[in-house]
Amino acid sequence: MGDHVTWNSEAGRVSGVIARKITSNTRFKGYVHHASKDEPQYIINSDKTDHVAIHKGTALHHVSAKTGNASKPGIKGK
């Protein structure tokens, strides 16, 4: 955890830090997020707001600490 990532949202590209990996179904903001050990989801704290999001690893892009650029999509099993 603690990886810096970006993802697309309705408001455009957002960045944040992974707070926790979820490996079981979790209710969050009125929705059930389906997750498993094979297909985890991640709780992410936004860099710019107090917004908390949950996304699949395939929706996330690592951000390079050196350049600030996003890598290819996908966070797998961290």
Side-chain angles (χ1 to χ4, degrees):
M1 302 315 83
D3 290 355
H4 198 232
V5 295
T6 65
W7 67 96
N8 284 326
S9 77
E10 312 81 50
R13 176 103 14 230
V14 180
S15 63
V17 176
I18 295 176
R20 192 170 60 144
K21 179 169 75 170
I22 298 171
T23 57
S24 62
N25 292 347
T26 301
R27 183 172 295 279
F28 181 75
K29 295 185 179 179
Y31 297 95
V32 175
H33 294 266
H34 299 282
S36 67
K37 287 184 180 183
D38 292 333
E39 293 188 30
Q41 293 205 30
Y42 299 88
I43 296 177
I44 309 143
N45 296 318
S46 172
D47 284 341
K48 295 183 179 178
T49 68
D50 61 354
H51 181 75
V52 176
I54 297 180
H55 291 292
K56 294 179 180 181
T58 55
L60 304 174
H61 302 260
H62 271 113
V63 175
S64 169
K66 291 182 181 179
T67 65
N69 293 329
S71 67
K72 292 182 180 178
I75 307 278
K76 289 204 96 150
K78 282 196 154 197

